[in-house]
Amino acid sequence: MNHSLITPCNRDKPFVEDAGWLPLPSKKLLFLQDKDTLALFMKWSMLGRLSAQSYSFDQTFYPYNSERFALCFFRDPDVVSSLSKELKAGAWVPLDKPVVCVDVEPVPCTQVSMELFDPIYSCGILRPSGHVVKCFHDVYPDYDELRRMLQEEDSEHYYVVGREERGEFLFRIFEHLCFGGELCQYEDTIDPYISTTKQIYKDLISVQKDPETKKISVVSTVLRVWAYDESGRCYPGRREEKQTFAYLIVDPFKRHVTLFYHCYGVVVFT
């Protein structure tokens, strides 16, 4: 079966602005329903600020046209309306002005196992029990080798996970969870971060198995996105903040797209 998404004839059929977008409230993501996961989001100061919404669309998606796809998405009235309902708690800046342009960053997404994290277990970041090794830091009073590995390039452990692997969507989810929100209570062990990363990734990503080789591969396209109105950046937040993010995860065969997003701050009770 040929699942190629780009062929010469495709290029004459760009994604157009009158594409139909339909919210899919019936598509339940387990990480937003699981009580234990929600308790961790509370602890990490992400509850009410980390969420996801899924939509269907009625045209063919081509990766070369990702920017146009994202622009049409954020300009669609049904999308704007559904996002506004999520903004009622005050955690987000509402899309009260039309989006005029977008920035799109393609995010590598090829991982079909958790092997990417194996080096972390054997390099000195963790104790044999799985507890994260604490360390001194001039700025952060409660610091550890895991966060040092994630954000300090001069750390001896920074490249235990390779540069390409660090760019993978799977690793980005892990990194976002490790840093959490404004009043994050950090974990003493790595297991909650790993298990929650796995759960979110499985919920968001679509895979397929080759009938001949039996090899499993990711079919989703992941895009990190920023939207702008006439006043400047408006989504996912007006201020630059690494932990405020939005990703579009596109399943080109089901024609489903999920917006996965977080706005940095304190817990919001809805």
Side-chain angles (χ1 to χ4, degrees):
M1 183 181 298
N2 180 13
H3 281 316
S4 175
L5 299 182
I6 303 178
T7 62
C9 63
N10 293 153
R11 297 188 177 275
D12 296 325
K13 301 177 181 179
F15 207 91
V16 298
E17 194 158 352
D18 61 355
W21 305 85
L22 184 65
L24 298 173
S26 61
K27 185 175 181 179
K28 302 298 183 183
L29 300 171
L30 294 180
F31 74 90
L32 296 176
Q33 313 292 321
D34 182 75
K35 291 182 178 179
D36 292 336
T37 303
L38 295 177
L40 287 173
F41 291 162
M42 166 80 82
K43 185 178 181 182
W44 300 337
S45 192
M46 302 178 93
L47 187 67
R49 290 182 170 273
L50 180 75
S51 194
Q53 290 194 67
S54 297
Y55 305 81
S56 65
F57 53 92
D58 61 5
Q59 298 188 29
T60 304
F61 170 80
Y62 305 115
Y64 75 89
N65 214 23
S66 295
E67 186 172 326
R68 185 66 181 168
F69 179 91
L71 180 62
C72 293
F73 176 83
F74 283 111
R75 296 177 78 164
D76 182 83
D78 290 331
V79 171
V80 172
S81 174
S82 67
L83 290 181
S84 296
K85 295 175 183 177
E86 288 288 308
L87 306 176
K88 62 185 178 182
W92 296 83
V93 177
L95 293 172
D96 52 0
K97 298 179 182 178
V99 169
V100 296
C101 66
V102 294
D103 281 338
V104 172
E105 175 198 354
V107 177
C109 186
T110 64
Q111 300 297 310
V112 293
S113 76
M114 302 296 284
E115 292 178 2
L116 179 153
F117 298 104
D118 287 353
I120 296 177
Y121 287 84
S122 58
C123 68
I125 292 175
L126 305 176
R127 302 193 186 283
S129 62
H131 283 74
V132 181
V133 174
K134 300 293 184 180
C135 62
F136 175 78
H137 195 279
D138 292 334
V139 178
Y140 307 107
D142 180 24
Y143 205 54
D144 56 57
E145 292 291 351
L146 178 59
R147 278 179 286 155
R148 174 175 282 176
M149 181 274 286
L150 291 174
Q151 66 182 3
E152 296 185 14
E153 196 162 355
D154 59 356
S155 164
E156 62 178 302
H157 302 306
Y158 187 83
Y159 286 109
V160 295
V161 177
R163 186 182 297 274
E164 288 188 9
E165 287 77 11
R166 291 177 73 100
E168 285 275 339
F169 184 51
L170 177 64
F171 191 86
R172 293 193 187 201
I173 295 173
F174 174 75
E175 188 174 30
H176 287 313
L177 296 180
C178 286
F179 288 113
E182 189 173 349
L183 299 178
C184 180
Q185 300 175 57
Y186 301 106
E187 297 294 329
D188 292 325
T189 65
I190 196 172
D191 289 349
Y193 298 131
I194 293 291
S195 60
T196 308
T197 296
K198 182 178 181 179
Q199 184 181 38
I200 293 174
Y201 191 73
K202 287 181 67 176
D203 273 358
L204 295 179
I205 298 302
S206 300
V207 299
Q208 67 178 6
K209 180 185 286 187
D210 187 292
E212 296 180 1
T213 66
K214 308 303 181 184
K215 181 180 179 181
I216 297 175
S217 60
V218 175
V219 299
S220 300
T221 294
V222 180
L223 310 168
R224 188 164 185 175
V225 291
W226 300 263
Y228 301 80
D229 60 23
E230 61 184 11
S231 301
R233 180 183 294 177
C234 62
Y235 194 90
R238 294 200 176 274
R239 292 186 298 175
E240 180 72 28
E241 166 55 56
K242 187 175 182 180
Q243 283 294 92
T244 294
F245 57 80
Y247 296 92
L248 289 175
I249 300 98
V250 186
D251 183 329
F253 304 126
K254 291 183 179 179
R255 293 188 177 180
H256 288 179
V257 57
T258 298
L259 177 64
F260 173 56
Y261 52 94
H262 175 253
C263 183
Y264 181 78
V266 298
V267 167
V268 175
F269 295 95
T270 57

